[in-house]
Amino acid sequence: MGHEDEFGFIRDQLRRQRALRGMSQEEFGKRANYSASTVSAVETGTRPMDMPYAKRADEILETGGLFVRLLKAAQREMQPTWFKRWLDAERAATQLRNYHPTLIPGLLQTENYARAVLRFDATRREEEVEKLVASRLQRQEILTRDQPPLAIFVLDESALRRRDAIMAEQFRHLLRMAELPYVQLHVIPADAGLYVGLSGQLALARSADGNWVGTLENQLADFVVGDEDGIATLLGRWEGVRGVALPQNLSLALLKEVESQHAPQ
């Protein structure tokens, strides 16, 4: 079944369950706090269903979590094969390590920031962008679930210095996430000079049995790494970026300093 077929199946089931309960689109929308036009757009596929919509549909139609499960499965099938392996490792991890030299890491991105990043690929249709945004936001539930992993993030100061209308919201989100006891946020200052991590993004996930899975990306491709030598290389690069990053208290101070400079004068 293709991606569009899967989402079409979800829309068919949504219409069917609503009809079985004798609800019009307008009545369903009133109960779900959506306009009738939004309900129609979701059911016809002109607007993608996101997780909040799926949860409200399950509550109102009393479907026992059906639409949440269907949407999660469809979003997972959208991902390339290599990334599914990483998603499995990410979900099962007791510890996550994530570094990006130029952007806010995906697990810390706001909806608007993620949307802007995913639009970098000009070949993506808007509907595909919205589905990928929804999938990325759903991945972030890892950090707010019961028994979350220890999540350590390292980002470069340059990612904070990019002036954009969406950055104020992104700063507030970073500060909220940094308050979580199992989230550690470290910033590499601009005066760190050249360091090993500038060659590209990397992430590592450690499972309960102590095994590591890694991922890295470049302009042409993304890779999942699981072999012993590859993991050793990624762990070494991680130590390189972590070693030049500021400790947590100084990282938060720098984050707040940069945030104040972004504030309207």
Side-chain angles (χ1 to χ4, degrees):
M1 185 182 291
H3 299 157
E4 290 306 318
D5 290 339
E6 292 184 35
F7 285 101
F9 174 76
I10 298 174
R11 294 194 296 270
D12 290 343
Q13 290 301 309
L14 184 59
R15 288 190 293 267
R16 181 172 181 272
Q17 292 297 327
R18 177 176 58 75
L20 285 173
R21 284 155 182 78
M23 288 186 199
S24 66
Q25 290 181 339
E26 185 175 6
E27 181 182 356
F28 176 85
K30 284 181 179 178
R31 296 182 62 177
N33 288 327
Y34 290 103
S35 67
S37 61
T38 297
V39 175
S40 175
V42 170
E43 293 189 2
T44 58
T46 56
R47 169 177 169 163
M49 181 192 296
D50 57 18
M51 201 56 67
Y53 193 102
K55 290 177 180 177
R56 287 296 290 145
D58 281 328
E59 292 168 5
I60 293 166
L61 301 176
E62 299 178 350
T63 44
L66 170 67
F67 290 108
V68 167
R69 292 195 300 273
L70 287 175
L71 184 58
K72 285 182 177 180
Q75 290 174 343
R76 178 173 168 76
E77 286 305 310
M78 281 186 64
Q79 306 295 345
T81 302
W82 74 267
F83 196 56
K84 292 176 187 177
R85 182 184 175 195
W86 170 250
L87 290 178
D88 287 340
E90 191 177 64
R91 276 195 297 269
T94 58
Q95 183 181 137
L96 290 171
R97 300 179 179 182
N98 203 305
Y99 159 76
H100 205 295
T102 55
L103 297 171
I104 306 299
L107 289 178
L108 295 177
Q109 292 175 3
T110 63
E111 179 178 346
N112 287 325
Y113 190 101
R115 183 176 290 111
V117 170
L118 290 166
R119 282 176 176 160
F120 288 168
D121 184 346
T123 65
R124 287 192 179 118
R125 293 179 301 147
E126 192 62 21
E127 182 180 355
E128 182 185 2
V129 168
E130 292 303 319
K131 288 175 181 176
L132 290 171
V133 169
S135 178
R136 181 162 298 184
L137 295 179
Q138 192 242 321
R139 279 176 59 209
Q140 295 176 1
E141 294 178 4
I142 293 169
L143 300 180
T144 55
R145 72 187 183 195
D146 292 337
Q147 297 183 320
L150 170 64
I152 307 171
F153 298 92
V154 175
L155 55 154
D156 195 284
E157 185 179 344
S158 63
L160 304 174
R161 296 283 181 185
R162 302 187 191 285
R163 294 189 175 273
D164 192 285
I166 61 177
M167 283 305 295
E169 175 189 46
Q170 182 65 65
F171 274 115
R172 290 193 296 271
H173 182 65
L174 286 174
L175 290 170
R176 284 194 301 270
M177 297 304 294
E179 292 175 356
L180 298 175
Y182 46 84
V183 171
Q184 297 179 16
L185 195 155
H186 301 273
V187 179
I188 297 175
D191 61 5
L194 296 175
Y195 61 94
V196 65
L198 289 173
S199 58
Q201 175 269 352
L202 69 88
L204 289 151
R206 185 180 189 273
S207 63
D209 60 11
N211 289 325
W212 289 93
V213 173
T215 180
L216 66 159
E217 65 181 37
N218 59 38
Q219 290 284 350
L220 297 177
D222 306 280
F223 306 93
V224 169
V225 179
D227 63 284
E228 186 174 344
D229 290 343
I231 290 297
T233 298
L234 288 187
L235 286 171
R237 291 188 179 181
W238 170 262
E239 291 303 320
V241 300
R242 179 65 188 86
V244 295
L246 298 171
Q248 276 186 279
N249 60 331
L250 295 181
S251 294
L252 290 179
L254 178 57
L255 183 60
K256 291 175 181 178
E257 175 191 335
V258 178
E259 178 192 28
S260 67
Q261 295 171 3
H262 275 271
Q265 300 298 317

